[in-house]
Amino acid sequence: MNTLTRRLYAARTQQGAGAVPTPVPAHGTVPAAATRPAAAVASAADGSDPLAAYRITREPYWRTVGDEVALYEAAYAVRMPMMLKGPTGCGKTRFVEYMAWKLGKPLITVACHEDMTASDLVGRFLLDASGTRWQDGPLALAARYGAICYLDEVVEARQDTTVVIHPLTDKRRMLPLEKKGEVIEAHPDFQLVISFNPGYQSLMKDLKQSTKQRFGALDFDYPEHEVEVEIVAHESGVDRETAGKLVHIAERARNLKGHGLDEGISTRMLIHAGSLIAQGVPALSACRMALVRPITDDADMRDALDAAVTTYF
Amino acid sequence: MNTLTRRLYAARTQQGAGAVPTPVPAHGTVPAAATRPAAAVASAADGSDPLAAYRITREPYWRTVGDEVALYEAAYAVRMPMMLKGPTGCGKTRFVEYMAWKLGKPLITVACHEDMTASDLVGRFLLDASGTRWQDGPLALAARYGAICYLDEVVEARQDTTVVIHPLTDKRRMLPLEKKGEVIEAHPDFQLVISFNPGYQSLMKDLKQSTKQRFGALDFDYPEHEVEVEIVAHESGVDRETAGKLVHIAERARNLKGHGLDEGISTRMLIHAGSLIAQGVPALSACRMALVRPITDDADMRDALDAAVTTYF
Amino acid sequence: MNTLTRRLYAARTQQGAGAVPTPVPAHGTVPAAATRPAAAVASAADGSDPLAAYRITREPYWRTVGDEVALYEAAYAVRMPMMLKGPTGCGKTRFVEYMAWKLGKPLITVACHEDMTASDLVGRFLLDASGTRWQDGPLALAARYGAICYLDEVVEARQDTTVVIHPLTDKRRMLPLEKKGEVIEAHPDFQLVISFNPGYQSLMKDLKQSTKQRFGALDFDYPEHEVEVEIVAHESGVDRETAGKLVHIAERARNLKGHGLDEGISTRMLIHAGSLIAQGVPALSACRMALVRPITDDADMRDALDAAVTTYF
Amino acid sequence: MNTLTRRLYAARTQQGAGAVPTPVPAHGTVPAAATRPAAAVASAADGSDPLAAYRITREPYWRTVGDEVALYEAAYAVRMPMMLKGPTGCGKTRFVEYMAWKLGKPLITVACHEDMTASDLVGRFLLDASGTRWQDGPLALAARYGAICYLDEVVEARQDTTVVIHPLTDKRRMLPLEKKGEVIEAHPDFQLVISFNPGYQSLMKDLKQSTKQRFGALDFDYPEHEVEVEIVAHESGVDRETAGKLVHIAERARNLKGHGLDEGISTRMLIHAGSLIAQGVPALSACRMALVRPITDDADMRDALDAAVTTYF
Amino acid sequence: MNTLTRRLYAARTQQGAGAVPTPVPAHGTVPAAATRPAAAVASAADGSDPLAAYRITREPYWRTVGDEVALYEAAYAVRMPMMLKGPTGCGKTRFVEYMAWKLGKPLITVACHEDMTASDLVGRFLLDASGTRWQDGPLALAARYGAICYLDEVVEARQDTTVVIHPLTDKRRMLPLEKKGEVIEAHPDFQLVISFNPGYQSLMKDLKQSTKQRFGALDFDYPEHEVEVEIVAHESGVDRETAGKLVHIAERARNLKGHGLDEGISTRMLIHAGSLIAQGVPALSACRMALVRPITDDADMRDALDAAVTTYF
Amino acid sequence: MNTLTRRLYAARTQQGAGAVPTPVPAHGTVPAAATRPAAAVASAADGSDPLAAYRITREPYWRTVGDEVALYEAAYAVRMPMMLKGPTGCGKTRFVEYMAWKLGKPLITVACHEDMTASDLVGRFLLDASGTRWQDGPLALAARYGAICYLDEVVEARQDTTVVIHPLTDKRRMLPLEKKGEVIEAHPDFQLVISFNPGYQSLMKDLKQSTKQRFGALDFDYPEHEVEVEIVAHESGVDRETAGKLVHIAERARNLKGHGLDEGISTRMLIHAGSLIAQGVPALSACRMALVRPITDDADMRDALDAAVTTYF
């Protein structure tokens, strides 16, 4: 077993009084009212808290399987920058949300991409009626006021993005805003977290060693069978038998990874299928729509997966 | 049969009183007056409704063949992001317009292309007399006020476009406007829909697995013979016999796909040919102009298709 | 015969009273006065007509040989987007000018190139004394006020240009101005026309099938012998014998296309040569200067073409 | 002989009263006073003539050998766009200056390069105290007010530059300023001239056929022996014997073109060498410095050329 | 031994009165108060000192092993530009901080990356209410007021960055601000220092010889065993036995460099592992998280390293 | 011998009264006072002289060995553009400074790089409180007011930079400011000088022949043994015996050029080593730091060079 941690992927969201009491599926039958169960972000009214929009007010559901929570807490205690490794849709983003909630720290998430510039992280001057005005980027905001800054899929970003985090990830803990001529000393609460999917990196896209060495790392993977059944049942609203069938289908597909499939079927996709079934969609249609069609355009692979579906439904 | 759904491609547009009562061909003999039968978009006068321009006031014609409407409704109920797959001109855009009308939701369509940036979707600051002013992009507009946002041919877009939709397509349902320092929580009505043509992707242009896994998917294809005859006759104004000949020609051409033709002749092209015939153009000339010349520059292929045309006319 | 239409390439421009009564050669001995026979564009004085600069006030000469005028009229009646295909200098631009004149519609021509952006077509914000001001691009201008918009050599443009025309070329007939947050419904008079030279496209530069399928197409080619003689004589002012010799030289060169020449000698080049001869330049010099030197730098090919010239002169 | 024209490359500049009476070498011992013999551009004081800076007030020396002047005059009479072809430093630029002087037309010269944009030719909006202000580019200036516009080494420019000249080089003779929403009808005096060196084009850099076919073309080459001796003697101030030796060296080097030398030694370089000799520099040093070192870094080729020099000096 | 210098990597930070008296681990359990032990930068209140933010007020810990401090002092005495060479995480940045503190000079550090432009170093005009205002970049700031300017990983930068430092690194010691039209003569205190990791450069990314020759160079490497044990114990708070085990693991991993590992385990990583152990994390978990997972995604290599860990713990 | 000129590389700077009387090493122990021996640029107080910052007020040391000074003077007399060729650090920049001083002309030096645009040379509009304001670039400044403009390593620049100098390097001697609509006639004192290192150009980076032919060229190389010893002793402050050893080491290294070394050890590097020795650094350490470490990262080559050092010290 080369996987350090296992976690329960679920969201036993602690809802406020008067909220919908029934289980809320992943994408929820969103009520028209303003109470948004799917959102973990709150907005302060007066604006005096620059991080108000990034505070997590409801506990995201996370069932600890291994020691991942304790390890993260120890890493946060010494403000060690953290790297979360694992395949698509296995819960890395959820975990960092959970930890931010548990530690009571705001969380600023940035989805990295290859056209993102250092300025998108650090900030830029905007033109105002009275001239130029500096606007902190998400990294500067997190460093200045003390948030956990989570750079999702950092390997997608250009090098300037990864280099810009270096002074924040060693003993200096500072962020030079060269264009502004200011040096931000990181707030004591600030921590940097990055994620990436080891199956993705090519020779062209990998983190530099001088970046990797600045982080502690936690491995993530899909949950074990029983745990995943529980998650799917809980999140989608289907019974455990149906959830079990869905997990079996996923496990078959995951064995095809590298043999015609780039990635297996994730827990998130199982919850999609379950949600459709819970809406009354026939299981065969739901699985084709939520599990098979999204991940392959190849006719043979599609037929193979469809056959796997009919084995169980 | 690997095609989940079949649909009637037609536009039995519900027209207002006093509108032209005769069948309106696809490109219609556009009357000089302001009643625009071809347009499915209405503009509110007072501007109090920021999505007024995107509301669909007339029912687009759609004849359900399979379960595509029911499946889409179930997906919308749980706000599952949707991916519509299928060849060029087979009705994906029409379907999402129909569903938006049926669900009573505004529809914001964005034609994706390789020079589109994340800012084109999310928004940007504009310089004003009183300084910079934020302008929501179409994705932010849809997320803020609650529209279906349809990204057509999303695979053409650069990675930053596809990554920017991630936080809107998982449980978070939020859109960080990093340049503005704001986080939009998606309106309960918001849903994201993307389309792509599986025949197009190359190694260079494919959606990332971490994107694909966020969507449920529906397959689309050209309609079956009788259905397509009915559509062509209805849309172009020719009789069923002529429409039947046109569909036969298209079916021959579709068999050549991959053998010298990149794509077959679409339903849209058949309606073009029929419309010309209905205008009095000889069938041979109409077919050459609307079916053959647009899709091939190769002399042999052109002769083969011309011969197919003369078989029927 | 794979060529649908043949047309007389000439410009028996209808000139106003007091204009030069003698035949005006292609590039005309331009008189110093303001009456510009070569220009087909008029400017309105008061500016109340936003398309005044694009109205064609004098009939461009066009002798219909086949059914190209009737076909185009039928296509315009249903507002079918049109694609004009054919080699360099064979009259595609002239034809669309003639049709615009005949239909009484303004014509906005855009020469496409690989550095043209979608903003060059659609419009952009300009900075003004009172802030930013939107300026419609040529496509938005044509769609808003009702002109024929002609995108010359559209295959040269980047993909974003070709994708931006999609919503204008299907039933929607609309142009979203995403940066402005406005959706233009196309004026009833609006039509989109594109041209391209099938000999040019490479694997790198071809229109996408999803673009091609939106257009009806007309083929163009060089005119037949007698017709071309008449055109050259009329346009350049040389006698029919000299014009006949020039056309014979061109026909020889056209046979070399693909065997050392990328393109043959066009009608336009023959008019150049004739114009020089009409100015008293010896025929040999005129042909070398106007027919041979422009199209080849290869010594052998140049000698072969020079020899062809001396066969006739 | 595939060279149409030969010209004497010299500058018997017509100097005003009181000017230096002795022969002025190519780079002249520039006097400290304001009378600049090397400059062919005059500045008007009041600014009422927008082309004043581009008028040529002194006759550039040009000795007609063939019919190049007559041919150009005929081409200008019909406003045929012209293309001047020939190797580096053989007098193309001088010829167009001479013709502009002879025809009494202003000359606007643009040195093309691969980073030049269409805006560099056509114009752009500049930000002013009172908002944006349009500034004509050199091509718009020439078209609006009537100058000969000379695009030097046009093949270096990007495609957008070459496409932008199309509407000015056919019967339309107009320049659409799309960003400004204006269409310039070319002034009757306007003519477009381009140059290029056929030895340079690669597959990557060649003019499109649809561009080439719009121009008449004149070939240029180095002058014949006796003519070149006269030019070098006249321009540099050395005696005919020395000039003869320099021309012999150049002729040897020109035979090495393609055999280790990309280009031969041009007339301009001979005048450089002669000027140094006239300044008292030993002939060997002058030839090494002005003829050999500039064109090769290869030790063998340098030795071969040095040996050629010592054969004559 | 090809390593010139060895240094003790530690940070016996001289803390102000009232500061935390216990050993502070690398990433320290950051206290909530404002005394930031990890930061070596102080901010002046009145702003009269433009380099105040760059002065190092507390002594960074540096134990001299070889002659690196004396050599650097001699280099600074003649203001020789310096190049620090060595692998990731071996103390180059710490050394330059120590020397800046020892010499009493401000230190401006710039993390170079491939999207950094010359303007990012030199400065740019910003738009202000009263027009444009020049803002010195970090290099100009250092040259103007007299700081040590440290360009970290300079080989990542584009050529314009490296060329811009040339006039500052020869006898001229000046920095032309071409956009401003000013020439800065370097302040007598100014010195330029660059770093790079010789293992990184490829053919595509190497410093030009004309740049390298402008610098004196010092080699850095990981410290010897006993020294590294002391550093790890001191910095992380673990006992010497545990530190010794960690160093043994690192030494094993360093032998794998080039045999499946791009880089060995750095001293910084050992301090990470020690800090976790000091927080109570089991040694096995701490080593996997801080030493193994960050540097490899390869299953075999990960198992090999995990085995090395279990040898010692 | 293919080297035309030899020069003594030294800087017997003529210092003002009261200046430091002792020999000043290359990087000098910079005194805290304002008298900057290393700077050859003076600043005028009133600003009435736009070239004041570029005037050279102290004689740079240059010992003429061959005829390079006389040749340059002859070239300047006829304002022939000059090209200085030679390896890194052999004195090209010093020579042009010396000649500028000797001729009494200001010198504007531009370090070229691949991101430099034509605007960086020619000038640009800046936004001011009262609108846009033109700012001459260094080339325009030199041409307008009469300086020698020295483009260092011009081959690094993009083509637009090299094409922009064409009209300044032929008989026209003018610089069109197309963006400003102005044509600068070059001041009589203006001369253009470029440098490049023939060992550097690749197929991708070479000057165009049409550029090279516009220049006279002078070759530069490292000085002969005795001369170099004198220079090193004089510039660094070491005795002739030590300087002789340093030159011997350099000569050995220069023989390795092309056999594992891209460039040999330059005179500048010897002065570095000497300066360190003069500061009391042991010769072995000084040579490793100043001669060996900067030019190689290869262990074998480093050992070979270290051995060469120990042969002499």
Side-chain angles (χ1 to χ4, degrees), chain F residues 33-109:
Chain F
T35 55
R36 302 280 325 286
V41 169
S43 287
D46 70 55
S48 66
D49 173 4
L51 297 178
Y54 302 101
R55 298 197 186 277
I56 300 175
T57 53
R58 299 192 195 89
E59 178 183 1
Y61 186 88
W62 186 265
R63 220 181 76 191
T64 305
V65 179
D67 50 1
E68 77 278 8
V69 171
L71 287 176
Y72 191 100
E73 287 178 326
Y76 185 79
V78 296
R79 300 298 185 272
M80 184 186 301
M82 285 300 296
M83 176 195 298
L84 310 184
K85 301 169 66 173
T88 292
C90 76
K92 299 184 297 290
T93 298
R94 177 75 62 94
F95 176 69
V96 74
E97 289 185 348
Y98 174 76
M99 291 309 305
W101 176 86
K102 191 158 195 300
L103 294 165
K105 306 298 174 202
L107 173 68
I108 300 182
T109 299

Side-chain angles (χ1 to χ4, degrees), chain A residues 162-182:
Chain A
T162 49
V163 168
V164 99
I165 62 180
H166 280 197
L168 276 172
T169 51
D170 57 27
K171 203 174 178 61
R172 293 172 288 168
R173 282 179 63 87
M174 66 187 197
L175 177 64
L177 308 180
E178 280 143 20
K179 287 181 182 161
K180 200 185 170 201
E182 179 192 351

Side-chain angles (χ1 to χ4, degrees), chain D residues 1-299:
Chain D
M1 276 302 102
N2 55 27
T3 306
L4 186 61
T5 63
R6 300 283 180 187
R7 82 286 157 284
L8 270 183
Y9 184 91
R12 214 168 31 184
T13 316
Q14 303 303 106
Q15 294 171 330
V20 185
T22 55
V24 177
H27 288 271
T29 311
V30 186
T35 56
R36 301 283 324 287
V41 169
S43 288
D46 70 55
S48 65
D49 174 6
L51 296 178
Y54 302 101
R55 299 197 185 278
I56 300 176
T57 53
R58 299 191 196 88
E59 177 182 2
Y61 186 88
W62 186 265
R63 219 180 77 191
T64 305
V65 178
D67 50 0
E68 77 277 10
V69 172
L71 287 177
Y72 190 100
E73 287 178 327
Y76 185 79
V78 295
R79 298 300 184 270
M80 185 186 301
M82 285 300 297
M83 177 196 297
L84 310 183
K85 300 168 67 174
T88 291
C90 77
K92 299 185 296 291
T93 298
R94 177 74 61 95
F95 176 69
V96 74
E97 288 185 349
Y98 174 76
M99 291 310 305
W101 175 85
K102 192 160 195 300
L103 294 165
K105 305 297 172 201
L107 174 67
I108 300 183
T109 299
V110 181
C112 299
H113 52 79
E114 66 183 15
D115 301 307
M116 190 167 70
T117 64
S119 294
D120 290 331
L121 278 186
V122 165
R124 54 170 53 85
F125 281 103
L126 294 176
L127 192 60
D128 218 335
S130 55
T132 46
R133 173 177 57 86
W134 176 262
Q135 167 120 16
D136 275 341
L139 185 65
L141 200 64
R144 196 187 293 280
Y145 299 108
I148 294 171
C149 186
Y150 177 52
L151 305 181
D152 196 13
E153 301 203 42
V154 74
V155 81
E156 300 291 343
R158 298 190 305 179
Q159 270 200 12
D160 64 340
T161 307
T162 51
V163 168
V164 99
I165 63 179
H166 280 196
L168 275 171
T169 51
D170 57 27
K171 203 171 178 60
R172 292 173 288 171
R173 281 178 66 84
M174 65 187 199
L175 178 63
L177 307 180
E178 280 144 20
K179 288 182 181 158
K180 203 188 167 198
E182 179 193 352
V183 177
I184 299 181
E185 289 185 55
H187 186 279
D189 286 356
F190 172 77
Q191 186 201 23
L192 189 71
V193 185
I194 64 177
S195 80
F196 77 86
N197 180 342
Y200 265 26
Q201 289 90 280
S202 63
L203 282 177
M204 294 303 296
K205 282 210 168 174
D206 197 0
L207 287 178
K208 293 164 54 179
Q209 281 291 338
S210 62
T211 302
K212 285 183 178 177
Q213 296 211 353
R214 295 162 179 276
F215 291 84
L218 285 175
D219 275 340
F220 286 81
D221 206 343
Y222 302 119
E224 286 163 3
H225 185 84
E226 281 311 307
V227 173
E228 192 164 24
V229 171
E230 186 184 324
I231 294 170
V232 173
H234 180 275
E235 291 267 307
S236 71
V238 296
D239 56 39
R240 289 186 58 89
E241 187 191 340
T242 303
K245 289 177 178 175
L246 290 171
V247 173
H248 276 300
I249 294 168
E251 287 163 349
R252 288 213 181 182
R254 288 167 192 168
N255 288 333
L256 295 172
K257 182 172 172 180
H259 302 91
L261 277 189
D262 292 331
E263 286 277 339
I265 291 173
S266 66
T267 311
R268 176 191 291 145
M269 298 176 81
L270 297 181
I271 297 169
H272 275 185
S275 302
L276 289 173
I277 293 171
Q279 290 280 326
V281 172
L284 270 174
S285 293
C287 289
R288 285 179 178 166
M289 181 169 160
L291 305 185
V292 180
R293 295 299 173 274
I295 60 168
T296 186
D297 307 321
D298 178 75

Side-chain angles (χ1 to χ4, degrees), chain A residues 2 78 85 132 171 186 213, chain E residues 27 36 38 127 156 264 297 302:
Chain A
N2 55 27
V78 295
K85 300 167 69 172
T132 45
K171 203 174 178 61
Q213 298 211 351
Chain E
H27 288 270
R36 303 280 326 286
L127 192 59
E156 299 292 343
D297 306 320
R302 193 175 48 205

